[in-house]
Amino acid sequence: MLAAPSARERAFAEALMAFALAGPAIFFLVVLFFLPVAAVFVIALTDWRFGAASLSFVALANFREIFADAGFRASLVNTVVYALIVVPGTVVLGLLVALVIESGRSCRSFYRAIHFLPFMATLTAMAIAWEALLHPTIGLVNQMLAAIGLPTANWLRDETMALPILAVIGIWQNLGYAMVLFLAGLKSIPQELYSAAEVDGADLWIDRLRTVTLPMLGPVTMFVVIVVALRAFQAFDSVKVLTQGGPGHASEVLLYTLYRESFEYLHTGYGAAIAVVFLAIVVTLTLVQVRFMDTKVHYQ
């Protein structure tokens, strides 16, 4: 009769099995995520130019140059302003659209598909369509404004309008994603809560919205805010296709600055330093949002 395995042998077998199951995922996580991030940190400390056969260690010189660069500061401010427009706009409109669709009784699937389509479409193709719509002479937007007697504009070449227009496009793209998440959250709210609210005197829809719907949507709202904020900070496609950061630096955002410095000017070390700063901002923003919003979220 075979002896029963000891506790140490069982623990070793379980650890071996766990490593065998998790090992491939850990390997690819290290190779595809941690090593590239480490490489970016190392490159940020050098003066390497893309394609060059040699490089020199410059320590923190790239970071000092970044914060002394007026162009970088402008792109950082533009990114923050862009996010401050896109995030509240997407969350509020996404919730409103979800409430309207959920309150209806017909064509729900059609309305969900129509609003979700921009999120699924290729943003570069959609940006080209927006470029045609916003054309200063033949664009549909200016033609409609002229038809009703309102002033027209060169939307993408106006320093005061370029960034807000890009933010509107960002809201349009993310609206469907927020709507779908809010619809799922609305479906998960027990109807008994609304009945109890009516018994307690919440007869108007605004009272039920304030006392039941919004508190119960807390976790969904937190998730939507974090995801949309991250997507807002990652804005690139529409800037690249529509404005190229112009006019001047009026619509330049962080990722476009990173792209331009790294792949157009070939200042790879400088671009890597921008990537490090960008990563630090995104991680800090995410942690602050989670810490601040989690205290105000009602979990079921």
Side-chain angles (χ1 to χ4, degrees):
M1 180 179 296
L2 296 176
S6 63
R8 178 175 296 180
E9 291 174 340
R10 287 196 302 270
F12 177 77
E14 291 175 359
L16 188 62
M17 180 60 69
F19 181 78
L21 293 173
I26 294 174
F27 171 78
F28 285 110
L29 183 65
V30 170
V31 171
L32 299 178
F33 180 76
F34 290 110
L35 289 182
V37 170
V40 168
F41 275 90
V42 172
I43 294 172
L45 302 176
T46 70
D47 63 352
W48 184 54
R49 298 175 66 90
F50 191 76
S54 61
L55 54 84
S56 299
F57 180 76
V58 296
L60 301 178
N62 286 326
F63 294 95
R64 288 193 293 269
E65 185 178 353
I66 283 175
F67 292 106
D69 184 3
F72 172 81
R73 293 197 299 270
S75 68
L76 178 59
V77 172
N78 289 340
T79 303
V80 173
V81 172
Y82 178 89
L84 289 176
I85 298 173
V86 170
V87 176
T90 302
V91 173
V92 172
L93 290 178
L95 178 59
L96 288 177
V97 171
L99 290 171
V100 170
I101 292 176
E102 187 63 20
S103 65
R105 291 293 179 265
S106 61
C107 301
R108 288 184 178 182
S109 299
F110 173 76
Y111 292 130
R112 284 196 295 262
I114 289 298
H115 286 91
F116 193 67
L117 187 61
F119 182 77
M120 297 297 295
T122 303
L123 185 56
T124 301
M126 293 297 99
I128 295 174
W130 275 102
E131 186 176 25
L133 290 172
L134 297 170
H135 193 278
T137 55
I138 62 174
L140 182 61
V141 173
N142 274 348
Q143 289 188 8
M144 291 177 61
L145 291 175
I148 59 178
L150 294 177
T152 62
N154 189 352
W155 303 102
L156 300 177
R157 294 295 177 266
D158 187 329
E159 290 188 359
T160 61
M161 292 301 301
L163 189 63
I165 289 296
L166 293 176
V168 169
I169 296 174
I171 294 174
W172 170 80
Q173 186 203 10
N174 291 291
L175 178 62
Y177 182 70
M179 174 207 68
V180 168
L181 293 176
F182 281 125
L183 282 173
L186 290 171
K187 291 288 187 182
S188 67
I189 299 177
Q191 291 302 313
E192 293 81 3
L193 294 178
Y194 290 107
S195 300
E198 290 182 6
V199 171
D200 290 338
D203 298 324
L204 299 177
W205 68 268
I206 188 66
D207 295 326
R208 293 192 293 272
L209 177 68
R210 179 176 55 83
T211 59
V212 178
T213 305
L214 293 181
M216 296 303 292
L217 286 177
V220 175
T221 304
M222 182 176 72
F223 181 77
V224 171
V225 169
I226 292 173
V227 172
V228 173
L230 292 177
R231 289 178 59 85
F233 270 84
Q234 294 169 4
F236 172 78
D237 303 64
S238 57
V239 177
K240 173 62 177 174
V241 174
L242 295 176
T243 65
Q244 294 79 49
H249 294 287
S251 63
E252 187 171 323
V253 293
L254 282 177
L255 277 190
Y256 185 77
T257 302
L258 191 159
Y259 165 81
R260 185 192 62 193
E261 294 291 342
S262 299
F263 300 105
E264 290 186 358
Y265 301 159
L266 303 182
H267 298 158
T268 311
Y270 185 81
I274 295 177
V276 171
V277 174
F278 175 78
L279 178 62
I281 292 173
V282 169
V283 171
T284 303
L285 173 68
T286 304
L287 294 177
V288 169
Q289 284 180 326
V290 171
R291 183 68 177 271
F292 174 75
M293 296 187 65
D294 192 57
T295 60
K296 301 180 181 298
V297 168
H298 171 75
Y299 294 97
Q300 298 184 37

